[in-house]
């Protein structure tokens, strides 16, 4: 199985190549087609198996193929700020060639940069 066989768009495949991803992990191979088809999905896998890419890649692709208005289209909720930051870094890496904007917000830090990012417009909010 390859990322091309998963029918991911070129901007995402280019980002994956830059990240040195060569083949999808089992959770990615199973999850990406389901999410791209518009179905809901509940996935479970061990740490380090690529779960974030399994949901973020199809989100990026679906948003890339729709209008690029800068309003929130996807919301990702996490239990910790560390995980939110990690997921944000993944969206940054995987979406670098898509033009899709994202931001990460959490408490305990200055609110201004976060509200400024929201005002500028994002499609993905973590």
């Amino acid at each position: 199985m390859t990322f091309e066989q998963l029918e991911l768009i070129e901007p995402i495949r280019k980002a994956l190549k830059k990240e040195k991803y060569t083949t999808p992990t089992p959770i990615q191979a199973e999850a990406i087609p389901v999410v791209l088809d518009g179905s809901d999905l509940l996935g479970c896998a061990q740490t380090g198996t690529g779960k974030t890419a399994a949901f973020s890649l199809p989100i990026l692709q679906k948003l890339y193929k729709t209008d690029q208005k800068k309003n929130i289209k996807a919301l990702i909720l996490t239990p910790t700020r560390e995980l939110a930051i990690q997921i944000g870094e993944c969206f940054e890496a995987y979406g670098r060639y898509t033009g899709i904007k994202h931001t990460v917000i959490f408490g305990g830090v200055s609110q201004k940069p976060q509200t400024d990012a929201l005002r500028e417009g994002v499609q993905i909010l973590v």
Side-chain angles (χ1 to χ4, degrees):
M1 170 80 46
T2 67
F3 287 109
E4 277 187 358
Q5 290 172 311
L6 291 175
E7 298 182 11
L8 291 174
I9 56 175
E10 177 57 30
I12 293 173
R13 290 196 321 265
K14 183 178 176 182
L16 292 173
K17 189 173 185 176
K18 183 169 178 70
E19 294 297 310
K20 300 191 180 0
Y21 286 24
T22 56
T23 57
T25 65
I27 186 90
Q28 293 164 357
E30 293 290 325
I32 290 170
V34 172
V35 179
L36 286 176
D37 284 341
S39 297
D40 292 335
L41 174 76
L42 176 63
C44 185
Q46 290 182 310
T47 301
T49 58
K51 293 182 297 294
T52 302
F55 72 81
S56 61
L57 297 177
I59 287 172
L60 287 165
Q61 178 149 320
K62 289 181 88 56
L63 293 180
Y64 185 83
K65 290 187 169 189
T66 63
D67 70 60
Q68 296 268 331
K69 290 181 184 163
K70 302 254 188 332
N71 51 14
I72 299 169
K73 303 269 198 244
L75 172 66
I76 293 91
L77 301 174
T78 70
T80 66
R81 75 174 59 192
E82 291 79 12
L83 183 55
I85 292 166
Q86 177 187 341
I87 290 171
E89 290 168 349
C90 290
F91 273 108
E92 181 71 29
Y94 308 148
R96 70 173 27 114
Y97 303 114
T98 65
I100 295 169
K101 301 268 187 197
H102 78 282
T103 196
V104 178
I105 61 172
F106 47 80
V109 296
S110 174
Q111 186 176 336
K112 184 169 177 12
Q114 296 178 30
T115 56
D116 287 349
L118 291 172
R119 278 192 193 99
E120 288 176 21
V122 298
Q123 292 98 340
I124 301 168
L125 176 61
V126 183

